[in-house]
């Protein structure tokens, strides 16, 4: 048993998330939902920071959306950006089944365009979860910092790319983008961040209050 399997054993009696996973698999969608231990961490971080406005980049089937929404107060809102309409539809169905349908809003299309739109509208957020196309992680991070309320949390999933990020022989665009993202999350002066090395890697950072 590896450390992740050991930790997941405490989290496996989650019928709703198990059903969501099954539905995603049944539809032939990629089995890339966030790991159970990190899903629980998202719930805890949203609740602990009392985040009211949460932005998710990459909905897939709504698994991580449910984890994020579980941490929200009844007044909290989840805005979820998703490239594919059928994925957004399934994610909304799952969030509705989980009791959060009235708290979530989906924006379908290219995430960078939706982020630019949110910026133009002057929207700000308390929590960001980045889990979409890896080549654009540094772009999404810059938008997150721009749209962040002081003290906002940013989390990014799959920062190890199943080991490719750490492999010096791998240098494709996704790998290079992820290395840049990890470096920024851990070292950018606007952030206080770190990389959690379990599962496929999760980078987590807090946006420092802006200096006057
Ligand atoms: Mg992921």
């Amino acid at each position: 048993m590896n450390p992740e399997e050991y930790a997941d054993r405490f989290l496996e009696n989650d019928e709703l998330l198990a059903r969501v996973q099954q539905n995603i698999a049944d539809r032939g969608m990629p089995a890339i939902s966030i790991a159970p231990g990190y899903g629980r961490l998202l719930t805890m971080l949203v609740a602990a920071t009392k985040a009211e406005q949460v932005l998710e980049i990459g909905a897939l089937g709504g698994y991580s959306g449910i984890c994020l929404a579980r941490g929200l107060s009844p007044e909290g809102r989840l805005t979820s950006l998703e490239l594919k309409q059928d994925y957004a539809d399934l994610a909304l169905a799952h969030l509705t089944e989980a009791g959060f349908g009235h708290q979530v809003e989906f924006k379908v299309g290219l995430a960078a365009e939706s982020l630019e739109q949110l910026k133009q509208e002057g929207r700000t957020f308390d929590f960001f979860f980045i889990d979409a196309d890896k080549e654009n992680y540094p772009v999404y991070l810059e938008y997150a910092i721009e749209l962040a309320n002081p003290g906002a949390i940013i989390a990014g999933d799959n920062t190890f790319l199943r080991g490719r990020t750490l492999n010096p022989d791998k240098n494709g665009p996704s790998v290079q983008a992820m290395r840049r993202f990890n470096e920024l999350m851990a070292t950018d002066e606007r952030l206080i961040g770190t990389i959690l090395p379990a599962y496929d890697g999760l980078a987590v950072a807090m946006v420092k209050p802006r200096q006057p």
Side-chain angles (χ1 to χ4, degrees):
M1 192 187 318
N2 66 35
E4 287 87 350
E5 287 165 346
Y6 173 80
D8 285 349
R9 285 172 52 194
F10 299 109
L11 304 173
E12 66 191 10
N13 291 326
D14 196 317
E15 283 181 31
L16 176 68
L17 289 182
R19 203 155 58 241
V20 169
Q21 290 277 45
Q22 191 59 51
N23 286 342
I24 289 171
D26 289 349
R27 288 172 186 239
M29 292 163 65
I32 52 169
S33 297
I34 191 171
Y38 285 158
R40 178 63 61 83
L41 180 67
L42 293 181
T43 303
M44 191 195 78
L45 286 173
V46 170
T49 58
K50 298 183 169 61
E52 293 263 304
Q53 295 290 334
V54 175
L55 181 66
E56 175 183 53
I57 304 172
L60 191 67
Y63 184 102
S64 55
I66 290 170
C67 296
L68 293 163
R70 280 176 168 172
L72 288 171
S73 74
E75 291 75 40
R77 301 274 306 170
L78 170 66
T79 303
S80 185
L81 312 185
E82 171 55 50
L83 180 64
K84 299 183 178 179
Q85 183 70 56
D86 52 338
Y87 286 12
D89 292 343
L90 182 65
L92 175 59
H94 283 146
L95 275 141
T96 302
E97 183 183 344
F100 303 115
H102 61 292
Q103 286 177 276
V104 63
E105 165 196 15
F106 286 91
K107 291 186 178 293
V108 176
L110 290 172
E113 291 179 6
S114 296
L115 287 162
E116 182 60 31
Q117 189 189 346
L118 291 167
K119 185 179 150 186
Q120 299 300 332
E121 292 168 0
R123 295 276 303 272
T124 60
F125 296 88
D126 310 305
F127 200 104
F128 301 84
F129 178 53
I130 303 171
D131 193 16
D133 53 307
K134 308 311 173 196
E135 284 181 50
N136 280 314
Y137 266 41
V139 175
Y140 300 152
L141 177 58
E142 278 305 320
Y143 271 110
I145 293 170
E146 283 190 53
L147 301 179
N149 290 319
I153 298 290
I154 301 171
D157 192 26
N158 307 109
T159 67
F160 289 169
L161 297 173
R162 298 182 188 177
R164 283 185 293 145
T165 307
L166 293 71
N167 183 340
D169 297 329
K170 302 284 185 189
N171 291 294
S174 298
V175 174
Q176 294 197 39
M178 197 58 87
R179 287 181 186 142
R180 178 74 185 138
F181 176 81
N182 284 332
E183 182 182 356
L184 289 167
M185 287 288 278
T187 65
D188 192 287
E189 301 224 319
R190 298 166 292 176
L191 304 173
I192 305 171
T194 189
I195 298 165
L196 307 181
Y199 303 102
D200 194 25
L202 186 83
V204 188
M206 188 191 88
V207 181
K208 292 180 191 170
R210 287 182 189 87
Q211 305 299 324

